[in-house]
Amino acid sequence: MALHIVLVEPEIPANTGNIARTCAATGTHLHLVRPLGFRTDDATLKRAGLDYWHAVTIEYHDSFAEVQEKYSGGRFFYATTKAQKRYTDFAFRDGDFFVFGKETKGLPPEMIEAGKETAMRMPMGEAVRSLNLSNSAAIIIYEALRQMDFPQLF
């Protein structure tokens, strides 16, 4: 088993590359939901992931519904600034999916509504609307791994 990051229509290749590097470091699987805002051979994407792409388990999906159907037994958590609960309010476990939206708009309102019981936010001050996507993914993945006592990591 492994943790999973799902990026729904990511737009910025450097963010996706940084997230891929985090996935390589932690054994997390990466799911990219089309349409992507970049080409997968984009130099910025490759540069951000450095030479770790071989260590990333990556899947491409044509819709989020496709992810849910393929992994129907999975638990999905939705990262959004619109959630009431904080990411630290949940007990994560191996196999969980963490879903992030596009950088400019986040997750669609209907997706947040459908997943409102597992929607989560990161506390922050009023000076900004949101955190960077790759930072948010890293924060949540490492919290989940901390809760599981960092399995297979040293």
Side-chain angles (χ1 to χ4, degrees):
M1 295 277 292
L3 294 172
H4 301 261
I5 291 178
V6 180
L7 302 181
V8 178
E9 302 179 10
E11 301 168 311
I12 301 173
N15 283 335
T16 300
N18 287 334
I19 291 167
R21 188 173 178 177
T22 298
C23 289
T26 61
T28 300
H29 293 194
L30 179 60
H31 302 264
L32 300 179
V33 178
R34 296 179 185 103
L36 308 180
F38 49 85
R39 293 177 19 180
T40 55
D41 63 352
D42 183 283
T44 308
L45 176 69
K46 299 292 185 198
R47 188 169 35 257
L50 294 177
D51 57 347
Y52 301 114
W53 287 100
H54 69 280
V56 180
T57 300
I58 187 166
E59 290 184 41
Y60 296 90
H61 305 276
D62 291 323
S63 68
F64 181 65
E66 181 182 300
V67 178
Q68 289 179 302
E69 183 178 324
K70 183 172 182 177
Y71 297 97
S72 59
R75 294 191 323 156
F76 291 85
F77 295 88
Y78 302 87
T80 173
T81 58
K82 297 164 183 61
Q84 296 302 310
K85 295 178 184 175
R86 297 177 298 201
Y87 72 102
T88 53
D89 293 335
F90 294 95
F92 301 121
R93 63 181 185 237
D94 195 21
D96 284 344
F97 289 75
F98 302 104
V99 184
F100 298 86
K102 61 176 74 178
E103 289 90 339
T104 58
K105 296 182 181 178
L107 292 169
E110 60 275 9
M111 191 180 291
I112 296 168
E113 179 60 30
K116 65 183 169 192
E117 294 302 315
T118 56
M120 58 187 176
R121 64 179 173 78
M122 281 164 268
M124 64 185 107
E126 296 177 1
V128 298
R129 289 185 304 276
S130 63
L131 293 174
N132 174 274
L133 179 64
S134 62
N135 292 339
S136 298
I139 289 167
I140 290 173
I141 283 298
Y142 271 93
E143 171 59 17
L145 290 167
R146 183 198 65 79
Q147 289 181 15
M148 295 184 283
D149 199 26
F150 301 100
Q152 301 174 8
L153 302 179
F154 53 90

